[in-house]
Amino acid sequence: MKIITLTTDFGLRDYSVGAVKGAIYSKCPDARIVDISHLVSPFDIFQTAYILKNAYKHFPKGSIHVIGVDAERNPEKRHLLMLLNGHYFIGADNGIFNLLAEENEPIQLFEVATDIPITLFPTLNIFPSVVEKVYKGLSPEQIGVPTDKYLRATHFNPEVSSDGAFIYGVIIYIDHYGNAVSNISRSLFERIQQNRKFEVIFKMFSFRKIYNQYSDIINFNCPPESRATPDGEGMLLFNDLNYLQFSIYKSDRRSVGGASSLFGMDYYDRVSVHFL
Protein backbone atom coordinates (compact mmCIF):
# COMPACT_ATOMS: atom_id res chain seq x y z
CA MET A 1 0.00 0.00 0.00
CA LYS A 2 1.60 3.27 -1.12
CA ILE A 3 1.20 6.40 0.97
CA ILE A 4 -0.14 9.55 -0.72
CA THR A 5 0.61 12.90 0.92
CA LEU A 6 -1.03 16.28 0.36
CA THR A 7 0.67 19.66 0.76
CA THR A 8 -1.52 22.61 -0.23
CA ASP A 9 -2.43 26.21 0.47
CA PHE A 10 -6.15 25.36 0.61
CA GLY A 11 -6.67 26.00 4.33
CA LEU A 12 -9.04 23.89 6.43
CA ARG A 13 -12.30 25.80 6.09
CA ASP A 14 -13.31 25.16 2.49
CA TYR A 15 -14.31 22.02 0.61
CA SER A 16 -11.06 21.73 -1.32
CA VAL A 17 -9.11 19.29 0.85
CA GLY A 18 -12.07 16.96 1.26
CA ALA A 19 -12.81 17.02 -2.46
CA VAL A 20 -9.23 16.14 -3.42
CA LYS A 21 -9.16 13.28 -0.91
CA GLY A 22 -12.47 12.01 -2.25
CA ALA A 23 -11.19 12.11 -5.84
CA ILE A 24 -8.07 10.14 -4.87
CA TYR A 25 -10.02 7.57 -2.84
CA SER A 26 -12.41 7.10 -5.78
CA LYS A 27 -9.45 6.04 -7.93
CA CYS A 28 -7.37 4.33 -5.20
CA PRO A 29 -9.87 3.05 -2.59
CA ASP A 30 -7.28 1.27 -0.45
CA ALA A 31 -4.81 4.19 -0.40
CA ARG A 32 -3.59 5.84 2.75
CA ILE A 33 -3.67 9.64 2.48
CA VAL A 34 -1.58 11.75 4.87
CA ASP A 35 -1.91 15.52 5.29
CA ILE A 36 1.47 17.23 5.52
CA SER A 37 0.06 20.77 5.58
CA HIS A 38 -2.84 22.75 4.17
CA LEU A 39 -1.82 26.03 5.81
CA VAL A 40 0.90 27.13 3.39
CA SER A 41 0.59 30.84 2.62
CA PRO A 42 -1.23 31.21 -0.72
CA PHE A 43 1.01 30.53 -3.74
CA ASP A 44 4.18 30.48 -1.60
CA ILE A 45 6.44 27.82 -3.08
CA PHE A 46 9.26 28.63 -0.66
CA GLN A 47 7.14 27.73 2.36
CA THR A 48 5.93 24.70 0.45
CA ALA A 49 9.46 23.52 -0.26
CA TYR A 50 10.59 24.04 3.32
CA ILE A 51 7.66 22.10 4.79
CA LEU A 52 7.66 19.28 2.25
CA LYS A 53 11.45 18.86 2.16
CA ASN A 54 11.49 18.56 5.94
CA ALA A 55 8.71 15.95 5.91
CA TYR A 56 8.93 13.71 2.86
CA LYS A 57 12.22 11.99 3.71
CA HIS A 58 10.58 10.42 6.75
CA PHE A 59 8.05 8.59 4.56
CA PRO A 60 8.82 5.20 2.97
CA LYS A 61 10.25 5.16 -0.52
CA GLY A 62 7.55 4.84 -3.16
CA SER A 63 5.35 7.45 -1.45
CA ILE A 64 3.46 9.84 -3.73
CA HIS A 65 3.47 13.53 -2.81
CA VAL A 66 0.81 15.82 -4.30
CA ILE A 67 1.70 19.54 -4.28
CA GLY A 68 -1.38 21.74 -4.51
CA VAL A 69 0.27 25.17 -4.42
CA ASP A 70 0.30 27.50 -7.42
CA ALA A 71 -0.72 24.48 -9.49
CA GLU A 72 -2.68 26.01 -12.37
CA ARG A 73 -1.23 25.06 -15.76
CA ASN A 74 -0.55 27.67 -18.41
CA PRO A 75 1.63 27.98 -21.53
CA GLU A 76 4.67 28.72 -19.35
CA LYS A 77 3.94 26.38 -16.41
CA ARG A 78 3.62 22.66 -17.07
CA HIS A 79 2.55 19.82 -14.81
CA LEU A 80 5.41 17.51 -13.91
CA LEU A 81 6.04 14.21 -12.20
CA MET A 82 9.40 14.10 -10.40
CA LEU A 83 11.20 11.03 -9.11
CA LEU A 84 13.60 12.01 -6.31
CA ASN A 85 15.22 9.70 -3.77
CA GLY A 86 12.66 6.99 -4.53
CA HIS A 87 9.71 9.36 -3.97
CA TYR A 88 7.18 10.66 -6.50
CA PHE A 89 6.17 14.32 -6.59
CA ILE A 90 3.27 15.70 -8.63
CA GLY A 91 2.84 19.43 -9.12
CA ALA A 92 3.32 22.44 -11.34
CA ASP A 93 6.63 23.60 -12.74
CA ASN A 94 6.72 26.79 -10.66
CA GLY A 95 10.18 26.31 -9.11
CA ILE A 96 9.12 23.79 -6.47
CA PHE A 97 10.99 20.86 -8.03
CA ASN A 98 14.23 22.83 -8.02
CA LEU A 99 13.67 23.81 -4.39
CA LEU A 100 12.93 20.25 -3.26
CA ALA A 101 16.04 18.70 -4.79
CA GLU A 102 19.24 19.13 -2.82
CA GLU A 103 22.29 20.35 -4.70
CA ASN A 104 23.60 17.69 -7.07
CA GLU A 105 20.79 15.23 -6.22
CA PRO A 106 19.79 13.24 -9.33
CA ILE A 107 16.18 13.75 -10.38
CA GLN A 108 13.95 12.40 -13.15
CA LEU A 109 11.26 14.66 -14.58
CA PHE A 110 8.27 13.85 -16.77
CA GLU A 111 5.69 16.19 -18.24
CA VAL A 112 2.21 14.79 -17.53
CA ALA A 113 -1.44 15.31 -18.47
CA THR A 114 -0.68 17.28 -21.64
CA ASP A 115 -3.85 15.98 -23.30
CA ILE A 116 -6.19 17.18 -20.52
CA PRO A 117 -7.74 20.65 -20.97
CA ILE A 118 -6.53 23.39 -18.64
CA THR A 119 -8.69 23.54 -15.53
CA LEU A 120 -9.07 26.01 -12.69
CA PHE A 121 -8.53 23.31 -10.06
CA PRO A 122 -5.86 20.88 -11.32
CA THR A 123 -5.15 19.43 -7.88
CA LEU A 124 -8.69 18.05 -7.98
CA ASN A 125 -9.32 17.53 -11.69
CA ILE A 126 -5.91 16.35 -12.96
CA PHE A 127 -3.54 15.24 -10.22
CA PRO A 128 -5.70 12.34 -8.89
CA SER A 129 -5.48 10.66 -12.32
CA VAL A 130 -1.68 10.96 -12.23
CA VAL A 131 -1.68 9.61 -8.67
CA GLU A 132 -3.74 6.63 -9.82
CA LYS A 133 -1.24 5.70 -12.53
CA VAL A 134 1.71 5.88 -10.14
CA TYR A 135 -0.24 4.04 -7.44
CA LYS A 136 -1.09 1.19 -9.80
CA GLY A 137 2.53 0.71 -10.77
CA LEU A 138 2.90 2.36 -14.16
CA SER A 139 6.42 3.53 -14.85
CA PRO A 140 7.05 7.28 -15.14
CA GLU A 141 7.80 6.74 -18.83
CA GLN A 142 4.28 5.36 -19.25
CA ILE A 143 2.79 8.36 -17.46
CA GLY A 144 4.62 11.30 -18.99
CA VAL A 145 7.22 12.52 -21.42
CA PRO A 146 10.80 12.75 -20.09
CA THR A 147 12.16 16.27 -19.82
CA ASP A 148 15.26 17.93 -18.43
CA LYS A 149 13.80 21.43 -18.46
CA TYR A 150 12.28 22.91 -15.35
CA LEU A 151 12.10 26.28 -13.63
CA ARG A 152 15.10 26.99 -11.43
CA ALA A 153 14.33 29.20 -8.45
CA THR A 154 17.77 30.82 -8.33
CA HIS A 155 16.50 33.85 -6.39
CA PHE A 156 15.99 31.49 -3.47
CA ASN A 157 19.75 31.07 -3.05
CA PRO A 158 21.76 33.29 -0.68
CA GLU A 159 24.46 35.53 -2.13
CA VAL A 160 28.14 35.64 -1.19
CA SER A 161 30.09 38.89 -1.59
CA SER A 162 32.98 38.84 -4.04
CA ASP A 163 35.54 39.13 -1.24
CA GLY A 164 33.93 36.33 0.81
CA ALA A 165 33.31 38.65 3.75
CA PHE A 166 29.50 38.50 3.67
CA ILE A 167 26.64 36.11 3.08
CA TYR A 168 23.32 37.74 2.28
CA GLY A 169 20.19 35.67 2.85
CA VAL A 170 16.50 36.06 3.63
CA ILE A 171 13.92 34.66 6.02
CA ILE A 172 12.07 31.87 4.18
CA TYR A 173 9.86 30.37 6.89
CA ILE A 174 8.32 31.19 10.27
CA ASP A 175 7.11 28.19 12.23
CA HIS A 176 4.45 27.60 14.88
CA TYR A 177 6.79 28.77 17.64
CA GLY A 178 7.73 31.95 15.82
CA ASN A 179 11.19 30.66 14.88
CA ALA A 180 12.47 32.50 11.80
CA VAL A 181 14.36 30.26 9.36
CA SER A 182 16.80 31.73 6.85
CA ASN A 183 17.95 30.25 3.55
CA ILE A 184 21.58 30.18 4.75
CA SER A 185 22.66 26.55 5.06
CA ARG A 186 25.24 25.17 7.46
CA SER A 187 27.33 23.87 4.55
CA LEU A 188 27.49 27.32 2.89
CA PHE A 189 28.17 29.05 6.21
CA GLU A 190 31.07 26.74 7.11
CA ARG A 191 32.52 26.79 3.60
CA ILE A 192 32.68 30.60 3.54
CA GLN A 193 33.56 31.01 7.23
CA GLN A 194 36.85 29.09 7.16
CA ASN A 195 37.09 29.25 10.98
CA ARG A 196 36.74 33.05 11.07
CA LYS A 197 34.71 34.81 13.74
CA PHE A 198 31.38 36.14 12.55
CA GLU A 199 28.52 38.49 13.23
CA VAL A 200 24.96 37.69 12.10
CA ILE A 201 23.02 40.88 11.57
CA PHE A 202 19.31 41.43 11.33
CA LYS A 203 18.04 45.01 11.43
CA MET A 204 19.46 46.40 14.71
CA PHE A 205 20.14 42.97 16.23
CA SER A 206 23.53 41.25 16.23
CA PHE A 207 24.47 37.66 17.12
CA ARG A 208 27.99 36.25 17.46
CA LYS A 209 27.27 32.69 18.63
CA ILE A 210 25.44 29.73 17.11
CA TYR A 211 24.19 26.97 19.42
CA ASN A 212 24.01 23.28 18.56
CA GLN A 213 20.70 22.76 20.38
CA TYR A 214 18.22 24.82 22.35
CA SER A 215 19.34 23.69 25.81
CA ASP A 216 22.94 24.74 25.13
CA ILE A 217 21.89 28.23 26.18
CA ILE A 218 21.60 26.96 29.77
CA ASN A 219 24.71 26.90 31.95
CA PHE A 220 24.36 23.47 33.52
CA ASN A 221 27.58 24.04 35.51
CA CYS A 222 25.62 26.37 37.77
CA PRO A 223 23.30 24.86 40.41
CA PRO A 224 19.62 25.23 39.47
CA GLU A 225 18.89 27.67 42.28
CA SER A 226 21.50 30.17 41.05
CA ARG A 227 21.10 29.55 37.34
CA ALA A 228 19.91 32.39 35.13
CA THR A 229 16.61 31.65 33.41
CA PRO A 230 17.05 32.07 29.65
CA ASP A 231 13.32 31.86 28.80
CA GLY A 232 12.61 34.53 26.23
CA GLU A 233 16.27 34.98 25.29
CA GLY A 234 17.21 35.17 21.61
CA MET A 235 19.53 32.61 20.06
CA LEU A 236 20.83 31.26 16.77
CA LEU A 237 21.16 27.62 15.76
CA PHE A 238 21.13 25.41 12.69
CA ASN A 239 17.80 23.57 12.62
CA ASP A 240 17.00 19.99 11.57
CA LEU A 241 17.35 20.94 7.91
CA ASN A 242 20.67 22.65 8.69
CA TYR A 243 19.40 26.15 7.94
CA LEU A 244 20.37 29.09 10.13
CA GLN A 245 17.43 29.83 12.43
CA PHE A 246 16.57 32.68 14.78
CA SER A 247 14.83 31.42 17.90
CA ILE A 248 13.62 32.45 21.32
CA TYR A 249 14.38 29.90 24.03
CA LYS A 250 11.07 28.27 25.04
CA SER A 251 9.22 30.68 22.80
CA ASP A 252 5.45 30.93 23.11
CA ARG A 253 3.57 33.44 20.99
CA ARG A 254 0.93 33.70 23.73
CA SER A 255 3.42 34.76 26.43
CA VAL A 256 7.10 35.56 25.83
CA GLY A 257 6.58 35.69 22.06
CA GLY A 258 8.65 34.23 19.24
CA ALA A 259 11.64 35.43 17.26
CA SER A 260 9.41 36.70 14.48
CA SER A 261 7.41 38.96 16.80
CA LEU A 262 10.10 40.01 19.29
CA PHE A 263 12.69 40.78 16.61
CA GLY A 264 10.17 42.01 14.05
CA MET A 265 11.15 39.33 11.54
CA ASP A 266 8.98 38.63 8.52
CA TYR A 267 9.18 36.61 5.32
CA TYR A 268 11.93 37.65 2.90
CA ASP A 269 13.56 40.05 5.36
CA ARG A 270 17.30 40.30 4.78
CA VAL A 271 19.80 38.45 6.97
CA SER A 272 23.52 39.24 6.73
CA VAL A 273 26.49 37.27 7.98
CA HIS A 274 29.73 39.24 8.30
CA PHE A 275 32.94 37.22 8.67
CA LEU A 276 35.55 39.11 10.68
Side-chain angles (χ1 to χ4, degrees):
M1 178 188 300
K2 290 186 176 72
I3 292 176
I4 300 165
T5 78
L6 299 178
T7 304
T8 79
D9 57 2
F10 298 162
L12 298 174
R13 179 178 179 179
D14 300 325
Y15 73 92
S16 307
V17 174
V20 171
K21 287 183 177 180
I24 294 173
Y25 277 129
S26 294
K27 296 179 180 298
C28 311
D30 59 343
R32 180 185 298 176
I33 301 177
V34 178
D35 300 293
I36 290 182
S37 178
H38 298 295
L39 298 177
V40 174
S41 295
F43 310 105
D44 195 322
I45 62 168
F46 301 107
Q47 281 188 37
T48 307
Y50 180 81
I51 292 169
L52 186 51
K53 181 187 287 189
N54 204 9
Y56 91 84
K57 294 178 182 178
H58 300 283
F59 286 84
K61 291 185 183 299
S63 295
I64 305 165
H65 307 281
V66 176
I67 308 169
V69 178
D70 188 28
E72 186 176 357
R73 193 174 89 222
N74 60 45
E76 296 179 349
K77 187 169 62 179
R78 306 168 297 162
H79 289 153
L80 299 180
L81 168 67
M82 177 173 72
L83 184 57
L84 170 68
N85 293 326
H87 292 254
Y88 298 90
F89 298 84
I90 300 166
D93 184 23
N94 52 23
I96 187 66
F97 299 104
N98 179 215
L99 296 175
L100 287 172
E102 300 284 355
E103 187 177 357
N104 299 321
E105 278 186 324
I107 63 174
Q108 294 177 268
L109 288 166
F110 303 84
E111 185 174 1
V112 299
T114 57
D115 57 337
I116 299 177
I118 292 176
T119 172
L120 186 64
F121 196 172
T123 310
L124 173 64
N125 298 317
I126 295 177
F127 293 173
S129 296
V130 182
V131 168
E132 179 185 23
K133 293 173 183 177
V134 177
Y135 191 87
K136 292 184 175 178
L138 274 67
S139 69
E141 291 79 5
Q142 294 174 293
I143 299 172
V145 178
T147 180
D148 58 1
K149 297 179 180 179
Y150 63 104
L151 182 64
R152 298 181 183 274
T154 53
H155 54 294
F156 175 81
N157 297 322
E159 301 175 0
V160 179
S161 63
S162 58
D163 60 0
F166 288 90
I167 299 176
Y168 301 108
V170 295
I171 298 298
I172 58 170
Y173 189 72
I174 296 173
D175 70 12
H176 172 71
Y177 296 97
N179 297 318
V181 182
S182 79
N183 63 343
I184 299 173
S185 67
R186 182 196 294 268
S187 60
L188 175 64
F189 184 97
E190 293 178 348
R191 177 165 59 84
I192 303 301
Q193 179 188 17
Q194 298 180 350
N195 295 318
R196 291 179 290 176
K197 293 182 179 180
F198 63 87
E199 181 182 21
V200 180
I201 305 164
F202 178 84
K203 294 184 177 178
M204 66 188 75
F205 302 102
S206 172
F207 301 84
R208 293 177 180 264
K209 183 174 183 179
I210 299 176
Y211 295 92
N212 292 315
Q213 55 189 21
Y214 295 104
S215 60
D216 285 348
I217 200 171
I218 300 173
N219 183 3
F220 288 101
N221 293 320
C222 292
E225 62 273 10
S226 60
R227 188 181 300 159
T229 302
D231 292 15
E233 187 172 330
M235 62 187 300
L236 290 181
L237 73 163
F238 286 107
N239 66 13
D240 288 345
L241 273 180
N242 281 320
Y243 286 113
L244 188 63
Q245 174 177 299
F246 297 82
S247 298
I248 297 295
Y249 182 71
K250 289 194 174 180
S251 60
D252 186 338
R253 289 179 170 180
R254 298 168 301 178
S255 55
V256 299
S260 60
S261 57
L262 292 179
F263 292 110
M265 297 179 179
D266 206 350
Y267 288 103
Y268 313 122
D269 282 339
R270 179 62 69 101
V271 179
S272 299
V273 181
H274 183 199
F275 295 106
L276 309 173

